[in-house]
Amino acid sequence: LNCWIFTMPSPRPSRTRGIGACLLALAAQPIALGLELNPLRWANQQKITTGMLTNNVPPASAILELTQMADARSLSLYPRPRKVIMTSVQLGDEALLRVAAERNAVANFECRPWLGATALVDVAGGINCVISHNFMHASASHPAEAVTVAMSALKPGGRFVWIEPDGEGAISERVSALWRAAFPKAEIFTDSEDGLELGVAVKPMPRETPQSR
């Protein structure tokens, strides 16, 4: 499997695809990305998704997940999260989501309908990881909105992680351009694997000033 892991605190940026082999949790919890997929490709995408979430989200993180349809199974992939806010276009069964949060020891869990970027101003500066999972591809406006949310919500040093279908690179290119416009020297990692676009963008730490030394 040709996928990758973004590891802190010493990441090595890559400008091209094929970043390297990644360690995957083999007991993947499926998160459907499309009913049209053949079983083998679907299973491989679940391994890729599992690897991205379990290896690129630090333990004990405050997580904001943006998704097209809320899926309780994603809660099992985050490593001991401190807090999870799940925001989706289609909420699904909220009771099931809360049961899954309790089962996976997510003590602080909240689910919200997607009402646009401005509806998430209350989490500004308080999130370690923003996850876009099967969200940005659903609407032409979603990439820019997701980037706006991530830039506002993330703490310095936080990560914007995306896992999106199609795998043609358009979403990653747009996200990278928007992120670079705001943070010219930010670390951005992108890849494409088996019909998925994958990426991690880091919100830079504030510049050190003479007074802060």
Side-chain angles (χ1 to χ4, degrees), residues 71-93:
D71 192 325
R73 291 168 290 189
S74 68
L75 293 169
S76 69
L77 303 180
Y78 297 128
R80 304 184 305 280
R82 175 170 52 86
K83 177 180 183 178
V84 176
I85 301 173
M86 185 175 287
T87 302
S88 60
V89 177
Q90 302 176 50
L91 274 181
D93 189 334

Side-chain angles (χ1 to χ4, degrees), residues 58-180:
S61 290
I63 298 165
L64 173 61
E65 179 180 330
L66 309 176
T67 184
Q68 178 67 16
M69 178 178 291
D71 192 325
R73 291 168 290 189
S74 68
L75 293 169
S76 69
L77 303 180
Y78 297 128
R80 304 184 305 280
R82 175 170 52 86
K83 177 180 183 178
V84 176
I85 301 173
M86 185 175 287
T87 302
S88 60
V89 177
Q90 302 176 50
L91 274 181
D93 189 334
E94 185 172 343
L96 180 63
L97 293 171
R98 295 195 177 281
V99 169
E102 182 177 354
R103 183 175 299 166
N104 290 284
V106 183
N108 193 342
F109 173 74
E110 183 180 351
C111 52
R112 303 182 184 184
W114 170 253
L115 300 174
T118 57
L120 292 166
V121 294
D122 60 306
V123 301
I127 299 296
N128 302 105
C129 285
V130 174
I131 312 295
S132 177
H133 183 210
N134 202 24
F135 174 79
M136 291 192 287
H137 84 288
S139 169
S141 66
H142 280 186
E145 290 181 298
V147 168
T148 297
V149 168
M151 288 180 178
S152 171
L154 287 173
K155 298 178 179 181
R159 310 174 191 179
F160 178 36
V161 180
W162 62 93
I163 307 164
E164 298 287 342
D166 299 331
E168 297 298 325
I171 290 175
S172 292
E173 288 177 6
R174 187 172 182 195
V175 170
S176 298
L178 292 168
W179 205 265
R180 291 271 185 225

